[in-house]
Amino acid sequence: MAGQVRIPATYMRGGTSKGVFFRLEDLPEAARVPGPARDKLFQRVIGSPDPYGAQIDGMGGATSSTSKCVIVSPSSQPDHDVDYLYGQVSIDTDFVDWSGNCGNLSTGAGAFAIHAGYVDANRAENGMCTVRIWQANINKTIIAHVPVANGEVQETGDFELDGVTFPAAEIVLEFIDPADDGDEGGSMFPTGNLVDELDVPEEIVPGGKLKATMITAGIPTIFVQAADIGFTGTELRETINSNPDTLRRFETLRTIGALKMGLIKSPEEAAKRQHTPKIAFVAPPTDYPSSSGKIVKGEDIDLLVRALSMGKLHHAMMGTASVAIATAAAVPGTLVNQAAGGGEHQAVRFGHPSGTLRVGAEAKLVDGQWTVTKAIMSRSARILMEGHVRVPEGSF
């Protein structure tokens, strides 16, 4: 009878996500290169595809935030320490999406680079080790400022992140030139407009016209106004995720936006590009109860944002979508900027289902086009378990 293959792995929380981290050289040879073997391995590790939607026979947690795998290796790029490759594993379908980054697990990638021995913690200055990460999914640079103590990553601390139960040590991330402006350059607003008017079905908006800001900073994201689609911006997960019809309409809207952004050529392609683009809705600030029961005060935030990931409302906010929020808020005239009251914003604090998050971006107008040089946010990361994962022989 076939046995099981043991593969060195580390289970980590990064921000408000969790994933299984691998060193490239520890993977079975067939999975060290992109292709079906790698996809099948990651699916079996996570427990997908699972028609029950529970991922019981794997490491996944049956949410988009916990159905993730990461590969880290010595960097192939000059002036970088490691390459970081991220796979979003679909829960119930036979698919691994490599089209974008996970901002939350970028935090884990910085810490894991030290844990894995790729970066020497002793090179730290003033208790902080700077790790230069090449994000291989989207070919961008991320700089992680990882606290260290006694030659190791400092994981415990008093930094609190809404959506994470316990405090930990703060890791500051810098997303350098986060806009995806194409191989030949161009605007981080792929249509050239700060606000577009989409043609949508009457069931989404009476009259069939919907305003949207579409941006490619951090991760391709479609922003619409909550009020335009019948929401307040204070919704929690259960309100959205318990309604299949609502989720279907959001997916329809996401597909329309993806076509407009040029990310897909036909509606059918959206099913194979679940990770990107994201769809989010924004509103001006107001008081609301977070998922923990804590009241978020409107006076303490600049705007409200809710975003969907892999077809469901996210329990907090994706890190990459936070970059998109920060960037769009910094550009006067976008729907995100309007929700934040207009004007200039180098940083905003937004309300999400689990609480609040402060993010910043440096955006400027160059030759008539908006560009962003850097986005900054704070997260935390912690090893939850390390050792080996096991998958049945012949499963990849």
Side-chain angles (χ1 to χ4, degrees), residues 155-298:
E155 296 184 305
T156 58
D158 57 7
F159 172 71
E160 296 185 356
L161 179 63
D162 286 340
V164 177
T165 305
F166 304 106
E170 180 181 12
I171 297 176
V172 177
L173 291 179
E174 297 179 67
F175 296 83
I176 307 302
D177 184 26
D180 181 9
D181 49 15
D183 295 335
E184 299 179 359
S187 173
M188 63 185 176
F189 298 97
T191 66
N193 303 317
L194 301 183
V195 179
D196 282 280
E197 190 172 71
L198 302 180
D199 293 317
V200 301
E202 289 273 347
E203 65 172 349
I204 294 179
V205 177
K209 300 292 184 180
L210 178 64
K211 292 181 179 179
T213 288
M214 295 176 285
I215 191 170
T216 59
I219 200 166
T221 306
I222 304 156
F223 291 102
V224 299
Q225 296 175 115
D228 287 348
I229 55 174
F231 294 110
T232 64
T234 62
E235 288 78 12
L236 302 183
R237 274 197 297 178
E238 295 75 16
T239 303
I240 303 297
N241 294 345
S242 63
N243 191 323
D245 193 53
T246 295
L247 295 176
R248 180 186 56 79
R249 289 198 297 270
F250 270 117
E251 181 59 19
T252 298
L253 180 54
R254 192 183 76 90
T255 300
I256 292 169
L259 287 165
K260 189 79 170 180
M261 296 174 81
L263 298 175
I264 58 176
K265 295 180 180 179
S266 69
E268 292 74 25
E269 291 182 40
K272 289 295 184 181
R273 191 176 174 129
Q274 298 175 348
H275 181 52
T276 58
K278 301 301 186 190
I279 180 78
F281 51 103
V282 300
T286 190
D287 297 356
Y288 70 94
S290 70
S291 55
S292 69
K294 178 182 176 181
I295 300 298
V296 176
K297 293 289 188 180

Side-chain angles (χ1 to χ4, degrees), residues 68-84:
K68 304 169 182 274
C69 285
V70 167
I71 301 172
V72 179
S73 61
S75 185
S76 60
Q77 303 295 317
D79 301 321
H80 290 74
D81 296 304
V82 292
D83 288 354
Y84 151 50

Side-chain angles (χ1 to χ4, degrees), residues 24-362:
L24 178 64
E25 61 266 32
D26 290 335
L27 290 173
E29 186 173 354
R32 293 177 192 169
V33 294
R38 177 180 286 178
D39 289 1
K40 293 299 183 185
L41 172 62
F42 280 9
Q43 287 176 306
R44 198 65 177 91
V45 166
I46 293 297
S48 290
D50 182 2
Y52 302 105
Q55 294 179 324
I56 293 298
D57 199 22
M59 299 293 293
T63 69
S64 66
S65 302
T66 57
S67 190
K68 304 169 182 274
C69 285
V70 167
I71 301 172
V72 179
S73 61
S75 185
S76 60
Q77 303 295 317
D79 301 321
H80 290 74
D81 296 304
V82 292
D83 288 354
Y84 151 50
L85 187 67
Y86 160 69
Q88 176 75 53
V89 181
S90 177
I91 295 171
D92 57 359
T93 60
D94 183 8
F95 183 59
V96 180
D97 197 330
W98 301 95
S99 66
N101 178 32
C102 174
N104 279 300
L105 292 191
S106 300
T107 316
F112 183 75
I114 300 172
H115 290 305
Y118 296 138
V119 175
D120 186 355
N122 291 316
R123 80 180 192 189
E125 297 181 3
N126 300 318
M128 197 67 65
C129 186
T130 299
V131 181
R132 291 185 62 87
I133 302 166
W134 180 252
Q135 213 305 315
N137 299 78
I138 58 174
N139 298 328
K140 293 291 183 178
T141 298
I142 302 170
I143 301 175
H145 300 278
V146 184
V148 297
N150 301 318
E152 296 182 346
V153 174
Q154 173 67 41
E155 296 184 305
T156 58
D158 57 7
F159 172 71
E160 296 185 356
L161 179 63
D162 286 340
V164 177
T165 305
F166 304 106
E170 180 181 12
I171 297 176
V172 177
L173 291 179
E174 297 179 67
F175 296 83
I176 307 302
D177 184 26
D180 181 9
D181 49 15
D183 295 335
E184 299 179 359
S187 173
M188 63 185 176
F189 298 97
T191 66
N193 303 317
L194 301 183
V195 179
D196 282 280
E197 190 172 71
L198 302 180
D199 293 317
V200 301
E202 289 273 347
E203 65 172 349
I204 294 179
V205 177
K209 300 292 184 180
L210 178 64
K211 292 181 179 179
T213 288
M214 295 176 285
I215 191 170
T216 59
I219 200 166
T221 306
I222 304 156
F223 291 102
V224 299
Q225 296 175 115
D228 287 348
I229 55 174
F231 294 110
T232 64
T234 62
E235 288 78 12
L236 302 183
R237 274 197 297 178
E238 295 75 16
T239 303
I240 303 297
N241 294 345
S242 63
N243 191 323
D245 193 53
T246 295
L247 295 176
R248 180 186 56 79
R249 289 198 297 270
F250 270 117
E251 181 59 19
T252 298
L253 180 54
R254 192 183 76 90
T255 300
I256 292 169
L259 287 165
K260 189 79 170 180
M261 296 174 81
L263 298 175
I264 58 176
K265 295 180 180 179
S266 69
E268 292 74 25
E269 291 182 40
K272 289 295 184 181
R273 191 176 174 129
Q274 298 175 348
H275 181 52
T276 58
K278 301 301 186 190
I279 180 78
F281 51 103
V282 300
T286 190
D287 297 356
Y288 70 94
S290 70
S291 55
S292 69
K294 178 182 176 181
I295 300 298
V296 176
K297 293 289 188 180
E299 62 191 34
D300 296 332
I301 56 177
D302 297 294
L303 74 160
L304 300 168
V305 191
R306 301 294 188 266
L308 282 79
S309 178
M310 301 294 285
K312 297 289 183 68
L313 190 73
H314 196 275
H315 69 101
M317 184 56 63
M318 305 79 80
T320 47
S322 299
V323 173
I325 292 165
T327 305
V331 178
T334 69
L335 298 184
V336 181
N337 176 270
Q338 292 175 32
E344 297 184 1
H345 295 274
Q346 292 185 330
V348 291
R349 182 176 294 279
F350 64 86
H352 56 73
S354 293
T356 69
L357 181 66
R358 186 179 188 274
V359 292
E362 299 175 2

